[in-house]
Amino acid sequence: MLHALHAKTRPQLLVGFAAGVGFGFLLQKGGVTYYDVIIDQLLLKDFTVVKIMLTAMVTGMIGVHLLAGLGLAQFHPKPGALGMTIPGALIFGVGFALLGYCPGTAVGAVGHGALDALLGGVVGMLAGAAAFAAIYPKLKPILGKGDFGELTFPRLLRVGPWAVVVPVAAAVIALLYGIGRAGW
Amino acid sequence: MEIFTTPRWSPYAVGVGIGVLSWLTFLLSNKPLGCSTAFVRSAGLVERWFRGRKVDEKPYYQQFKPQIDWEWMLVCGVLVGALASSLLSGQFQWAWVPAKWAAEVGTGAAGRWVVALAGGFCVGFGARWAGGCTSGHGISGTLQLAVSSWIAAAGFFAGGIATAMLLYHVILA
């Protein structure tokens, strides 16, 4: 692991910025910084968003597991709980459809001049995050319901990582092929 | 250099690009790609302007300190990257209302602004409730095979598809 580089604060901020430039460039080139593309995905008329996310997920999954196997990467699975992950994701989903952008693509949309993404999206997301911070102490009991921590599928199934990576990669590639064949 | 000036790339090429980018962030920064914590940190920074250092005592801001960190810089980079990409392809354009909204709902900026603001609020609130967004859970979490992220990704799309269908097929139909 590149521990020395990971510990340097200022160079890390630069790496973060550079990664963001790459990410924003790719999101715009993929068309997913556009409201129309995201809404047509949620209306199941255009599968661009799903194609990008699944391809990124498979590519990332294989590479990051290889890096981890070589001792060059550490996993950071997010903790979860039924009371946290399910209601949070559904509220997010409602907002996703009303806004027509998610946090990253909203910022990308601002980059190509979408003012609804700036004055509605970014302002709304800041207000939503602040509101969550305000009521967080009261929500804590709900958030902790059905806590399963930083669980991963290999740990849940008590198998090695590749026993999950290989079938998931195969299934996702088959799904992408099917979506392509169906002309979506 | 036509590749940089063309308006759209294949979604598979973009997906592979984002996947490779995630290898780099794990390798160089020991971090997954993610966007939503930058919003809670920024919200804390804005609150601090108005209410001073007392804001830092809020339990949630102790967990996510109001400061400029790696992910905050990443989000700034997203703005610059999308700006550069749209300028190179000649797609940069100030717009109040997206094309589909204009065609189906109307060209009034106020209506779109209100709905976008409500949507943004739910996105910001829901992302913090779920502990991540379409990048942090949807891409970075699923690629790490995190159970929380697979559930979250399913929930994002379940809520999103139901709301979009209701909006476009029932309310606006």
Side-chain angles (χ1 to χ4, degrees):
Chain A
M1 301 234 330
L2 306 172
H3 287 298
L5 177 62
H6 297 166
K8 287 185 182 142
T9 314
R10 274 176 190 279
Q12 276 305 323
L13 291 179
L14 266 178
V15 175
F17 181 76
V21 172
F23 194 30
F25 197 93
L26 287 163
L27 291 173
Q28 204 277 337
K29 283 278 177 264
V32 288
T33 56
Y34 290 88
Y35 172 89
D36 298 22
V37 173
I38 290 183
I39 279 295
D40 278 347
Q41 173 65 70
L42 296 178
L43 293 172
L44 308 179
K45 287 179 180 166
D46 171 345
F47 278 70
T48 302
V49 176
V50 164
K51 285 175 190 167
I52 289 176
M53 285 183 72
L54 288 179
T55 311
M57 184 259 154
V58 167
T59 309
M61 177 177 68
I62 295 169
V64 173
H65 280 84
L66 279 173
L67 287 173
L70 294 168
L72 290 169
Q74 271 180 330
F75 290 112
H76 302 282
K78 286 177 184 284
L82 299 179
M84 172 177 152
T85 314
I86 295 171
L90 292 174
I91 296 168
F92 181 97
V94 171
F96 191 24
L98 293 177
L99 177 59
Y101 311 104
C102 54
T105 55
V107 172
V110 176
H112 61 65
L115 293 165
D116 60 329
L118 177 65
L119 299 173
V122 173
V123 172
M125 288 189 286
L126 289 172
F132 185 82
I135 66 160
Y136 172 69
K138 284 189 184 145
L139 277 179
K140 253 183 161 173
I142 303 171
L143 295 170
K145 286 237 159 58
D147 186 11
F148 52 82
E150 297 176 356
L151 187 63
T152 62
F153 283 105
R155 249 187 50 213
L156 176 71
L157 303 170
R158 297 169 195 276
V159 293
W162 292 99
V164 183
V165 170
V166 172
V168 168
V172 170
I173 290 167
L175 183 65
L176 283 169
Y177 181 76
I179 290 172
R181 278 296 294 267
W184 285 340
Chain B
M1 281 312 171
E2 204 182 310
I3 190 168
F4 292 110
T5 55
T6 190
R8 280 289 272 277
W9 287 358
S10 140
Y12 308 109
V14 170
V16 169
I18 294 171
V20 171
L21 196 61
S22 76
W23 306 351
L24 293 173
T25 64
F26 271 95
L27 182 67
L28 299 176
S29 297
N30 190 25
K31 281 190 182 359
L33 289 171
C35 289
S36 71
T37 65
F39 287 91
V40 75
R41 292 187 202 279
S42 302
L45 289 170
V46 173
E47 275 192 63
R48 206 192 264 162
W49 269 346
F50 293 103
R51 302 185 39 223
R53 289 270 161 187
K54 250 180 58 180
V55 167
D56 297 13
E57 291 165 16
K58 281 192 188 175
Y60 202 65
Y61 291 138
Q62 288 179 1
Q63 214 174 316
F64 294 96
K65 294 202 166 55
Q67 63 186 17
I68 289 169
D69 70 338
W70 187 90
E71 205 167 285
W72 201 93
M73 292 301 290
L74 179 104
V75 173
C76 283
V78 168
L79 181 77
V80 174
L83 173 69
S85 172
S86 67
L87 286 174
L88 283 169
S89 60
Q91 283 179 304
F92 180 90
Q93 197 181 5
W94 294 112
W96 280 104
V97 180
K100 190 182 175 83
W101 182 279
E104 307 246 350
V105 190
T107 51
R112 172 57 191 152
W113 178 69
V114 170
V115 173
L117 195 64
F121 186 91
C122 294
V123 166
F125 192 83
R128 288 300 86 221
W129 191 318
C133 63
T134 12
S135 347
H137 268 313
I139 296 174
S140 302
T142 56
L143 76 84
Q144 298 181 76
L145 300 171
V147 174
S148 61
S149 298
W150 282 80
I151 298 174
F156 296 158
F157 280 94
I161 289 167
T163 308
M165 295 278 184
L166 186 69
L167 185 65
Y168 276 89
H169 295 321
V170 181
I171 298 173
L172 299 174

